[in-house]
Amino acid sequence: MAVEPPVTAPSGDQTRIHNIGYRSYDGPRLGRAYARRSLYSQSLRGSYGLGRSVKSKVLPMLLFVVMCVPAAIMVAVAVATKAKELPVDYTRYAIIMQAVISLYVASQAPQSVSRDLRFKTVPLYFSRPIETADYVRAKFAALASALFILTAAPLLVLYVGALLAKLDFADQTEGFAQGLVSVALLSLLFAGIGLVIASVTPRRGFGIAAVIAVMTISYGAVSTLQAIADAQNSIGAVPWIGLFSPVTLIDGVQSAFLGAASTFPGGIGPSHGEGVAYVLVTLGLIAATYGLLIRRYRKVGL
């Protein structure tokens, strides 16, 4: 039977006991504003996969390229043919590419909030120094900024191309400014809707499917009802039906106030009076989604 060797105690020069006591933090305390900016920056970078794995970069970067390539082709054609105007107005481009924008929202809204819900890290954010409103503002602003980059970049390509094609500077600048106003509203509205839907479930897959369903079904249903109303000569009902889809809301606002051609059946957009209703509903939806996010995260952070 083997006998284990005796365990020898370590010598005195190998043992140390340090009584450092309690030490408070004496460095700078950057506070809520710094934490809010950091969360915004991290969320914005995450919307394009920056700071994450290569796999996370593929879809957002691919969608960004898909948004810009048609604009680049239009510019090339305009320069080569010495066209007198661009094939598509600045305010029309986002409406034409709304499927790509909806897919981007569906993929990035859950990425922004679902992981925090799934891993139950939201209460850690609220431990201090930030509060619920800080978290919601940072996430809302980050996704809206990411969407604005996605939708404004092709407009910039069109604008630069128009100047290279020596089109009228004043007309192109006015159209570019109108396009920026339109995509800014679109970015805020789509970001709010996407985040509200994504915040309901910690499952990213469910969030993606839900956002796609809401965007697609609402637009399809509204477009179908508008077509039916137009076929039955109920032209007055067409603009009011457009209030029930995010895409047609933006279409109505820009056709009423930004001089854009409407995609409604017959090309008949809302009048200025009806356009006021479109603006109020759009701003109301943005405010409502922000309020719903505040209420949602107050419950989650308890």
Side-chain angles (χ1 to χ4, degrees), residues 70-90:
I73 294 174
M74 293 176 191
V75 164
V77 171
V79 172
T81 60
K82 298 181 180 180
K84 300 299 182 182
E85 59 183 12
L86 292 172
V88 175
D89 292 337
Y90 295 96

Side-chain angles (χ1 to χ4, degrees), residues 203-234:
R203 297 293 187 90
R204 185 180 178 186
F206 290 164
I208 292 173
V211 173
I212 291 176
V214 169
M215 296 293 186
T216 304
I217 293 174
S218 64
Y219 180 70
V222 166
S223 298
T224 301
L225 291 175
Q226 286 179 325
I228 293 172
D230 182 63
Q232 295 180 348
N233 293 322
S234 300

